């Protein structure tokens, strides 16, 4: 009689502190203009300050349900969005506030949706994980892990079918990178040469599990090799490296060569969501990334070293951003709650 298989041992001890990646800024740095550098700094700072305030409102009980913050990952979406056109589609997971702001959505509407008010982008019915803006070509954050990948591939199919030369930017995390629906979507995208860029935001932890413990291969950019999809790993803590890689990938997709995969090596400073104490990693690890690889501090130092701006100018930008965020928070608290009749609206949208 055959012996029963032995149960594999699982290491449940806290992950050891990892060193931030030592990667170059990538090609294209010399082409960036002072105005572009200032814009990237401002856009990343807006996301950072917005998320900090969202965390405060959650702690005060003004935001209910789940709330996943993007603090630490700002360079990914800001760098990618620097190379898109107005009608390029964007879709992502539930860690979505930064993507909305990078797409140009109004902070007031985003914050009002977080607090469940009628002035929000989904009229207060979607909350943190479900808001959309057809005007800004943002097709939502999605609460089901990995669900946005086939939808984003479908958006790319629509672009190709309509012949509009637009691209679908489909963001997802390392925690969903091994799902079956992701591979099915990649197969279809490669088969039909769809204009989609898959952006894997590898922040090293899918909820509380490190990528080393969850994935047989940690080279996530190679996930499309079976389908002939090219991919590359990018320093996602450097907005200029993201900008250069993003421009290359988007042009590849837009020119009819099919999909492209970018694995962004990034890091989130907070827990998976506001309810996560993040005890699966050490304080030393988080501090190391904050102190050595912070994406906003990287651009701040570059601006100062190049004498593009001085400290007074940067303080003025911060003051401007804080006012925008404070106004959004005020709006979100004074916007009325949705009328109960809204339960019966937006169930079916006629084309």
């Amino acid at each position: 009689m055959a012996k029963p298989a032995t149960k594999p041992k699982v290491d449940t001890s806290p992950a050891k502190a990892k060193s931030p990646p030592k990667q170059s800024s990538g090609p294209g740095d010399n082409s960036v203009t002072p105005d572009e550098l200032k814009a990237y700094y401002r856009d990343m700072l807006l996301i950072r300050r917005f998320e900090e305030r969202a965390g405060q409102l959650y702690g005060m009980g003004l935001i209910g349900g789940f709330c996943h913050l993007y603090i630490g990952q700002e360079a990914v979406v800001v760098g990618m969005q620097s190379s898109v056109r107005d009608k390029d589609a964007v879709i992502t997971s539930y860690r979505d506030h930064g993507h909305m702001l990078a797409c140009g959505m109004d902070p007031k509407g985003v914050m009002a949706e977080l607090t469940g008010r009628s002035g929000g982008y989904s009229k207060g019915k979607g909350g943190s994980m479900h808001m959309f803006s057809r005007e800004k070509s943002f097709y939502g954050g999605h609460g089901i892990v990995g669900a946005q990948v086939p939808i984003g591939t479908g958006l790319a199919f629509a672009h190709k079918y309509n012949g509009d030369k637009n691209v679908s930017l489909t963001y997802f995390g390392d925690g969903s990178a091994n799902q079956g629906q992701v591979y099915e979507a990649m197969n279809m995208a490669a088969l039909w040469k769809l204009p989609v860029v898959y952006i894997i935001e590898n922040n090293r932890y899918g909820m509380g599990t490190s990528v080393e413990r969850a994935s047989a291969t940690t080279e996530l950019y190679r996930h499309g090799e079976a389908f002939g999809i090219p991919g590359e790993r990018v320093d996602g803590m450097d907005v200029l490296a993201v900008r250069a890689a993003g421009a290359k990938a988007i042009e590849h997709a837009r020119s009819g060569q099919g999909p492209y995969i970018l694995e962004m090596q990034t890091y989130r400073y907070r827990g998976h969501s506001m309810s996560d104490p993040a005890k699966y990693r050490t304080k030393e690890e988080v501090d190391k990334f904050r102190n050595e690889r912070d994406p906003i501090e990287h651009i701040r130092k570059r601006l100062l070293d190049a004498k593009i701006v001085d400290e007074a100018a940067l303080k003025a930008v911060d003051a401007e951003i804080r006012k925008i965020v404070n106004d959004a928070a005020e709006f979100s608290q004074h916007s009325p709650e949705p009328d109960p009749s809204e339960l019966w609206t937006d169930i079916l949208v006629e084309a």
Side-chain angles (χ1 to χ4, degrees):
M1 183 175 179
K3 293 182 179 180
T6 58
K7 187 176 181 180
K9 293 182 179 180
V10 178
D11 181 8
T12 58
S13 60
K16 295 180 180 179
K18 304 177 183 68
S19 295
K22 300 295 184 182
Q23 294 171 291
S24 65
S25 295
D29 286 2
N30 293 332
S31 65
V32 68
T33 68
D35 285 343
E36 286 171 332
L37 276 177
K38 289 189 287 186
Y40 301 155
Y41 177 80
R42 185 188 183 282
D43 292 347
M44 289 193 292
L45 191 62
L46 173 61
I47 295 172
R48 177 74 57 90
R49 297 289 181 250
F50 183 96
E51 294 290 65
E52 289 171 347
R53 192 58 183 271
Q56 292 173 357
L57 295 181
Y58 187 93
M60 296 165 61
L62 296 173
I63 295 175
F66 291 98
C67 185
H68 305 80
L69 303 182
Y70 200 62
I71 296 174
Q73 299 183 214
E74 298 92 349
V76 175
V77 72
V78 170
M80 287 301 304
Q81 294 303 120
S82 69
S83 295
V84 300
R85 296 177 182 170
D86 286 344
K87 296 303 179 183
D88 288 336
V90 175
I91 191 168
T92 188
S93 67
Y94 39 75
R95 197 178 307 281
D96 52 4
H97 316 151
H99 301 74
M100 299 172 196
L101 298 176
C103 286
M105 292 169 63
D106 186 348
K108 290 182 179 178
V110 178
M111 195 72 87
E113 189 60 41
L114 295 183
T115 56
R117 304 305 178 100
S118 61
Y121 270 97
S122 293
K123 302 178 184 177
K125 299 184 289 184
S128 174
M129 299 192 288
H130 304 97
M131 49 183 124
F132 307 77
S133 174
R134 182 177 292 181
E135 177 193 3
K136 299 297 183 180
S137 300
F138 180 75
Y139 291 91
H142 293 264
I144 303 300
V145 175
Q148 74 277 15
V149 180
I151 300 174
T153 305
L155 290 167
F157 177 84
H159 286 318
K160 181 164 185 176
Y161 185 84
N162 291 325
D164 56 25
K165 295 296 183 182
N166 292 321
V167 173
S168 169
L169 270 61
T170 301
Y171 294 83
F172 56 104
D174 53 286
S176 59
N178 289 306
Q179 286 208 0
Q181 60 184 331
V182 172
Y183 289 106
E184 291 177 35
M186 287 181 177
N187 179 61
M188 295 174 73
L191 184 66
W192 295 330
K193 291 191 179 301
L194 301 183
V196 55
V197 178
Y198 297 114
I199 302 124
I200 305 173
E201 299 199 59
N202 182 3
N203 61 26
R204 300 162 195 271
Y205 295 95
M207 294 190 72
T209 305
S210 69
V211 68
E212 292 87 357
R213 293 174 182 163
S215 185
T217 174
T218 58
E219 295 177 311
L220 305 184
Y221 67 96
R222 300 180 63 186
H223 274 17
E225 285 185 349
F227 314 113
I229 302 176
E232 64 181 282
R233 177 174 280 174
V234 184
D235 182 358
M237 303 298 277
D238 183 343
V239 69
L240 300 182
V242 175
R243 170 184 180 268
K248 173 184 171 184
I250 290 170
E251 178 55 32
H252 175 95
R254 201 185 306 281
S255 63
Q257 299 179 68
Y260 204 99
I261 297 173
L262 294 174
E263 178 194 347
M264 300 293 175
Q265 294 258 292
T266 185
Y267 197 81
R268 55 172 166 81
Y269 298 163
R270 301 288 186 91
H272 172 72
S273 69
M274 285 296 297
S275 59
D276 173 21
K279 292 182 178 179
Y280 42 82
R281 58 186 184 178
T282 65
K283 181 178 182 297
E284 290 75 20
E285 179 183 312
V286 179
D287 288 345
K288 197 171 182 67
F289 276 88
R290 273 187 180 275
N291 296 332
E292 297 180 17
R293 297 292 291 125
D294 185 76
I296 298 176
E297 183 59 31
H298 172 73
I299 291 298
R300 181 180 182 278
K301 185 176 185 301
R302 188 177 181 117
L303 286 167
L304 291 172
D305 289 349
K307 293 183 168 46
I308 295 172
V309 296
D310 56 18
E311 288 282 1
L314 292 179
K315 286 181 180 179
V317 172
D318 194 23
E320 176 201 356
I321 294 298
R322 288 181 185 275
K323 184 180 186 309
I324 291 171
V325 171
N326 287 338
D327 289 347
E330 284 294 313
F331 176 81
S332 72
Q333 294 173 65
H334 292 99
S335 180
E337 294 186 354
D339 188 87
S341 63
E342 281 290 344
L343 289 169
W344 306 103
T345 64
D346 302 319
I347 297 171
L348 175 67
V349 175
E350 296 290 346

